């Protein structure tokens, strides 16, 4: 999709035209999302969505909007209908937003933890603890004005989701003359305005997922009191999403369900924002997903805040009240990084487990070594392929007793020790490392200590293996945990008493050695195929800033990665840069396009 430029006199006229024009350029995307909202996809999604009662939440949230925001949303819907999609209701945009975030919370993670604890025990489950592979990967950073070439702040970001072409994000330029609105940014096709990423000319913002735990699974016994709402059993905690034949099951408590609010009251204040304080105030209306937000304006004010409603979790797991949002001012000579990782004391109130720290650490290194940045050099940070955990692998491999091993096995180890740790698409050593890692993962997952993870979940429900596969596959979990075990062997206790990690590493080297001559570049196997059959050769890896996720031990192809890349310049918006996967050559190269050229 190219940049959608919409101009109108008023905000309602702008929303109408945005809806109408979006149908012109992204009709297939709108129809696909509408099918998800209507639960007519013919997949296991339909039952999950229906049992979650999120359509009911979307309708009720729409009813609760203030008059001006509801008029804005309704005008967008009228524009969609005027362009030919007659089933688009006034509240459908809220449903689309809910579709994009229905599996974005902690539901899948809780299912995984319950399953791992059941089959391995709670101690072993904690040893495997790592944030959900399906949720982390995004990066964002900001530098104060004294750190940029033109004296004004810079913001960079690369949100990560399942990669699709067309992209989940649409680039837009929205101008409403009488309302003094002139915004460039990213939106979900089907949702008016801009949400997570925007630049109004005087203030800009970008986000990453804060990984907050905003869902709670509650076991429901057969005799638990419940009502029936739109054909779905509902307890005091929420809809019974997973229901067993005997009447027991699992209810899901979520923030939108409790509040009947999807955060759309933030839309118009964001469009009108002129300062960091304006964006900060707008985000007080935000609900979910909970985001780490970086904001900066032309006067040099820079803010990092958490936006969204986070329940305060007691030690028992019960919710009581709301977490006070974290806010921190960033000085003109400072930088800040948010990469789904633990950042300090405030993170403990968000969730027990967050993403691994590697991407955040690497961005801090890159920013600390770059005293002055402009939009182009800032954008290049997002193409960095250094895999920090590689050093822990190399240290452990270097400690192995290899004197009795065949020469071909020692050569594999020596190549990995000499490797620079970069997961470049052209690197054969990166591909060799990935082969060894996959061999280790397969052996560990097959070991009797971990093999029970392959048992079916104890939450029988139509198709959970398909819908929740990114959360319930043990291989990606073990691959992520491996990095931590190699850095700190005590983190795997008591699992390390069950298997010998050194023996597993040696066995993997022996397995890979005979085929080492056939190993090609990493980009030959680390690929993404577009709908028209174009095969993109990608660098990066899950732990790199260029986070292109595959499934170690299963499949090296990329299924998740950056669905946009941008740098907002506050000194001159026209010098900003961005891209989405639709620009396949630019995106695959880890690069960006000048915003000025796209808006010309």
């Amino acid at each position: 999709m190219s940049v959608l430029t919409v101009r109108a006199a008023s905000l309602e006229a702008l929303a109408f035209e945005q809806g109408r024009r979006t149908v012109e350029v992204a009709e297939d995307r709108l129809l696909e999302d509408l099918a998800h909202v209507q639960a007519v996809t013919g997949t296991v999604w339909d039952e999950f969505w229906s049992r979650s009662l999120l359509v009911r939440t979307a309708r009720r949230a729409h009813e609760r909007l203030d008059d001006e925001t509801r008029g804005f949303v309704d005008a967008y819907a009228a524009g969609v209908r005027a362009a030919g999609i007659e089933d688009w209701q006034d509240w459908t945009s809220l449903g689309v937003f809910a579709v994009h975030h229905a599996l974005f919370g902690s539901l899948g993670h809780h299912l995984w933890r319950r399953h791992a604890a059941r089959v391995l025990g709670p101690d072993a489950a904690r040893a495997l603890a790592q944030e959900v592979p399906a949720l982390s990967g995004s990066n964002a950073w900001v530098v104060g004005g004294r750190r940029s070439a033109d004296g004004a702040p810079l913001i960079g970001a690369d949100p990560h989701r399942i990669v699709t072409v067309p992209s989940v994000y649409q680039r837009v330029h929205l101008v409403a003359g009488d309302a003094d609105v002139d915004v460039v940014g990213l939106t979900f096709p089907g949702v008016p305005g801009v949400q997570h990423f925007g630049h109004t000319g005087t203030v800009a913002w970008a986000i990453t997922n804060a990984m907050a735990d905003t869902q709670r699974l509650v076991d429901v016994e057969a005799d638990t009191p419940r009502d029936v709402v739109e054909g779905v059993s509902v307890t005091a905690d929420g809809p019974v999403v997973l229901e067993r034949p005997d009447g027991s099951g699992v209810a899901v408590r979520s923030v939108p369900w409790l509040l009947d609010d999807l955060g759309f009251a933030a839309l118009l204040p964001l469009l009108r924002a002129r300062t960091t304080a304006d964006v900060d105030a707008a985000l007080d209306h935000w609900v979910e997903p909970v985001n780490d937000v970086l904001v900066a304006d032309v006067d040099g004010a820079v803010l990092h805040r958490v936006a969204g409603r986070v329940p305060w979790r007691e030690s028992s797991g019960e919710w009581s009240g709301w977490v006070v949002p974290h806010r921190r001012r960033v000085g003109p000579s400072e930088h800040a990084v948010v990469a789904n990782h633990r950042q300090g004391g405030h993170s403990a109130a968000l969730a027990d487990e967050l993403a691994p720290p590697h991407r955040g650490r690497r961005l801090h290194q890159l920013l600390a070594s770059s005293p002055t940045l402009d939009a182009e050099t800032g954008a290049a940070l997002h193409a960095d392929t250094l895999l920090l955990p590689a050093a822990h692998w190399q240290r452990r491999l270097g400690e192995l007793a290899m004197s009795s091993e065949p020469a071909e096995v020692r050569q594999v180890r020596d190549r990995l020790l000499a490797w620079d740790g970069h997961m470049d698409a052209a690197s054969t050593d990166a591909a060799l490392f990935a082969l060894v890692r996959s061999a280790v993962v397969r052996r560990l997952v097959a070991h009797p200590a971990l093999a029970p993870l392959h048992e079916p979940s104890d939450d029988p429900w139509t198709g959970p293996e398909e819908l929740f596969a990114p959360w319930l596959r043990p291989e990606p979990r073990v691959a992520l945990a491996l990095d931590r075990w190699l850095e700190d062997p005590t983190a795997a206790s008591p699992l390390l008493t069950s298997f010998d990690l050194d023996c597993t590493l040696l066995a993997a080297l022996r397995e890979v050695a005979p085929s080492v001559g056939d190993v090609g570049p990493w980009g030959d196997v680390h690929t993404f195929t577009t709908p028209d059959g174009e095969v993109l050769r990608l660098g990066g890896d899950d732990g790199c800033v260029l986070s292109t996720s595959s499934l170690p031990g299963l499949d090296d192809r990329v299924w998740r990665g950056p669905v946009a890349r941008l740098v907002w310049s506050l000194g001159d918006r026209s010098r900003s840069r961005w891209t989405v996967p639709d620009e396949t050559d630019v995106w695959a190269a880890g690069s960006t396009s000048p915003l000025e050229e796209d808006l010309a």
Side-chain angles (χ1 to χ4, degrees):
M1 293 179 287
S2 59
V3 179
L4 175 63
T5 298
V6 182
R7 300 179 185 274
S10 67
L11 278 171
E12 285 201 8
L14 179 72
F16 180 91
E17 280 301 298
Q18 187 182 1
R20 186 184 68 81
R21 294 281 309 284
T22 298
V23 177
E24 293 178 359
V25 300
E27 182 177 11
D28 289 346
R29 167 67 72 179
L30 291 182
L31 291 173
E32 179 181 340
D33 284 343
L34 181 59
H36 281 88
V37 172
Q38 296 176 331
V40 293
T41 68
T43 69
V44 293
W45 163 268
D46 296 341
E47 183 175 351
F48 166 77
W49 175 259
S50 298
R51 295 195 67 85
S52 299
L53 291 177
L54 282 168
V55 163
R56 177 180 181 272
T57 297
R59 290 198 306 261
R60 290 166 68 95
H62 176 264
E63 292 168 0
R64 289 168 56 92
L65 290 173
D66 63 272
D67 290 345
E68 186 183 29
T69 302
R70 188 167 56 251
F72 183 71
V73 173
D74 292 356
Y76 184 93
V80 173
R81 290 193 294 269
I85 303 182
E86 297 178 358
D87 287 346
W88 198 276
Q89 305 299 312
D90 287 346
W91 54 264
T92 298
S93 290
L94 287 82
V96 169
F97 192 78
V99 161
H100 285 297
H101 300 105
L103 299 178
F104 217 68
S106 46
L107 172 59
H109 184 48
H110 285 304
L111 289 173
W112 161 258
R113 291 189 67 180
R114 287 160 59 97
H115 175 62
R118 179 179 69 88
V119 300
L120 298 181
D123 290 342
R126 280 191 290 272
L128 280 167
Q130 198 63 268
E131 193 46 75
V132 191
L135 291 187
S136 62
S138 302
N139 309 290
W141 54 266
V142 63
V143 296
R146 293 177 189 166
R147 299 283 304 280
S148 75
D150 61 9
L154 288 170
I155 296 176
D158 60 356
H160 284 60
R161 292 171 177 258
I162 295 173
V163 180
T164 59
V165 176
S167 173
V168 66
Y169 279 120
Q170 179 184 39
R171 294 178 295 172
V172 296
H173 182 200
L174 306 178
V175 182
D178 292 352
D180 193 26
V181 166
D182 185 341
V183 182
V184 296
L186 303 178
T187 190
F188 299 102
V191 181
V194 297
Q195 302 84 43
H196 297 150
F197 306 90
H199 195 322
T200 72
T202 60
V203 66
W205 65 95
I207 64 101
T208 66
N209 188 345
M211 314 303 284
D213 189 352
T214 59
Q215 292 175 314
R216 181 170 180 245
L217 298 187
V218 181
D219 287 310
V220 175
E221 302 301 327
D223 59 354
T224 299
R226 66 191 77 187
D227 296 321
V228 177
V229 177
E230 299 181 12
V232 176
S233 295
V234 177
T235 72
D237 287 293
V240 181
V241 177
L242 305 174
E243 190 160 19
R244 304 183 182 95
D246 65 1
S248 66
V250 179
V252 177
R253 174 182 257 195
S254 68
V255 172
W257 170 265
L258 290 178
L259 300 180
D260 286 329
D261 192 351
L262 289 165
F264 271 44
L267 294 184
L268 291 180
L270 286 174
L271 290 181
R272 293 176 169 135
R274 292 293 175 267
T275 67
T276 292
D278 291 341
V279 174
D280 187 25
L283 292 176
D284 285 339
H285 298 289
W286 197 260
V287 175
E288 197 180 65
V290 178
N291 294 320
D292 271 311
V293 189
L294 299 176
V295 192
D297 64 27
V298 294
D299 293 326
V302 180
L303 174 71
H304 165 216
R305 68 159 290 174
V306 174
R309 300 297 294 273
V310 182
W312 181 266
R313 295 167 295 119
E314 301 289 351
S315 57
S316 64
E318 292 292 332
W319 292 0
S320 60
W322 304 100
V323 174
V324 176
H326 168 77
R327 286 178 171 86
R328 181 176 79 87
R329 296 289 173 181
V330 180
S333 299
E334 297 177 333
H335 70 262
V337 170
V338 290
N340 316 127
H341 65 305
R342 190 174 303 279
Q343 300 163 54
H346 76 275
S347 295
L350 300 180
D352 294 328
E353 298 162 19
L354 289 93
H358 320 305
R359 291 178 289 104
R361 288 176 181 170
R362 180 56 177 162
L363 276 169
H364 277 299
Q365 290 178 359
L366 292 169
L367 288 167
S369 64
S370 303
T372 303
L373 291 170
D374 58 22
E376 190 166 358
T377 56
L381 301 180
H382 296 275
D384 186 78
T385 61
L386 180 64
L387 184 67
L388 286 185
H392 306 306
W393 282 80
Q394 290 169 320
R395 176 186 55 78
R396 193 62 174 264
L397 289 170
E399 294 171 353
L400 294 177
M402 300 286 292
S403 58
S404 62
E405 296 296 324
E408 62 179 5
V409 176
R410 295 198 303 272
Q411 288 170 2
V412 174
R413 195 274 300 264
D414 292 345
R415 273 187 60 181
L416 292 178
L417 293 182
W419 171 47
D420 64 6
H422 284 269
M423 299 296 290
D424 293 330
S427 172
T428 55
D429 288 340
L432 180 62
F433 165 75
L435 275 178
V436 171
R437 178 178 59 184
S438 287
V440 172
V441 168
R442 286 193 298 270
R443 290 175 178 276
L444 289 178
V445 171
H447 191 280
L450 295 177
L453 291 171
H454 285 291
E455 292 181 15
S457 169
D458 67 343
D459 286 310
W461 178 64
T462 303
E465 296 85 359
E466 179 179 343
L467 188 60
F468 293 107
W471 292 267
L472 298 179
R473 288 189 184 109
E475 287 84 358
R477 298 284 185 164
V478 171
L480 282 172
L482 253 176
D483 292 337
R484 191 159 48 94
W485 297 349
L486 291 168
E487 180 178 7
D488 177 14
T490 63
S493 180
L495 286 178
L496 282 183
T497 62
S498 303
F499 51 77
D500 188 324
L501 191 52
D502 285 349
C503 287
T504 306
L505 290 169
L506 274 172
L509 293 174
R510 295 176 192 134
E511 176 185 331
V512 169
S515 60
V516 70
D518 299 325
V519 176
W522 176 226
D524 285 359
V525 293
H526 198 60
T527 60
F528 174 76
T529 303
T530 67
D532 62 4
E534 182 182 7
V535 178
L536 306 178
R537 302 171 70 253
L538 303 179
D541 191 59
D542 191 75
C544 301
V545 174
L546 181 57
S547 182
T548 47
S549 300
S550 55
L551 300 171
L554 292 173
D555 191 341
D556 288 323
R557 290 175 297 179
V558 174
W559 67 283
R560 194 172 185 283
V563 293
R565 215 176 272 127
L566 60 88
V567 174
W568 294 139
S569 168
L570 272 303
D572 182 347
R573 186 173 73 176
S574 68
R575 291 202 295 266
S576 300
R577 303 182 67 87
W578 58 356
T579 194
V580 291
D582 307 72
E583 294 184 305
T584 53
D585 291 344
V586 174
W587 178 81
S591 188
T592 52
S593 299
L595 182 144
E596 183 178 27
E597 294 179 7
D598 288 332
L599 299 186

